[in-house]
Amino acid sequence: LNSVKSMDINRALAQIRWVNFFVALACLVLKVIGLLSLITSFNVFRLLMGSFSILFLGILLLYELQMKKLGKKFRVLYGFLYTYIGRAVYVMLYVSCRSRNN
């Protein structure tokens, strides 16, 4: 606990960013595998929700990579991702939509 308290803030933010990236990547992989299982039981609603989930997770993944070329476009199109409250609301809406549909 003391090492976390004394950690440099930039290092802590970088570690949080990588954790967010790998969690979003794992969710994306699991969502793609889940969509592949819909081939046998075709459900349009689940297919549509899965596609939106993949889109939103892709946006989150690209944001977490902090690529310079995409940075300006992301700030214009998805400016809410640049605030802690905006990201929290984005993730909470994603989680709440997913939990209501299962």
Side-chain angles (χ1 to χ4, degrees):
L1 187 61
N2 288 330
S3 65
V4 172
K5 287 181 181 179
S6 65
M7 185 182 293
D8 178 39
I9 189 71
N10 290 327
R11 183 175 178 212
L13 290 174
Q15 288 179 350
I16 290 171
R17 185 170 309 281
W18 282 109
V19 168
N20 289 343
F21 174 79
F22 286 117
V23 168
L25 183 64
C27 289
L28 183 70
V29 168
L30 291 173
K31 180 47 68 182
V32 169
I33 291 170
L35 278 181
L36 292 176
S37 70
L38 283 177
I39 293 173
T40 58
S41 62
F42 188 73
N43 186 340
V44 175
F45 179 73
R46 285 185 182 247
L47 184 67
L48 187 61
M49 287 304 294
S51 300
F52 278 121
S53 293
I54 289 172
L55 175 70
F56 294 142
L57 287 167
I59 290 169
L60 193 58
L61 275 174
L62 288 174
Y63 167 75
E64 292 296 346
L65 285 176
Q66 294 289 314
M67 297 182 334
K68 297 211 185 264
K69 287 186 178 184
L70 287 178
K72 292 178 184 176
K73 282 189 177 186
F74 265 74
R75 188 168 291 277
V76 171
L77 296 173
Y78 310 109
F80 61 91
L81 288 174
Y82 286 85
T83 65
Y84 293 110
I85 295 173
R87 271 195 313 269
V89 169
Y90 179 76
V91 170
M92 292 306 290
L93 285 174
Y94 170 75
V95 169
S96 68
C97 287
R98 289 300 310 145
S99 64
R100 285 186 73 202
N101 295 321
N102 287 333

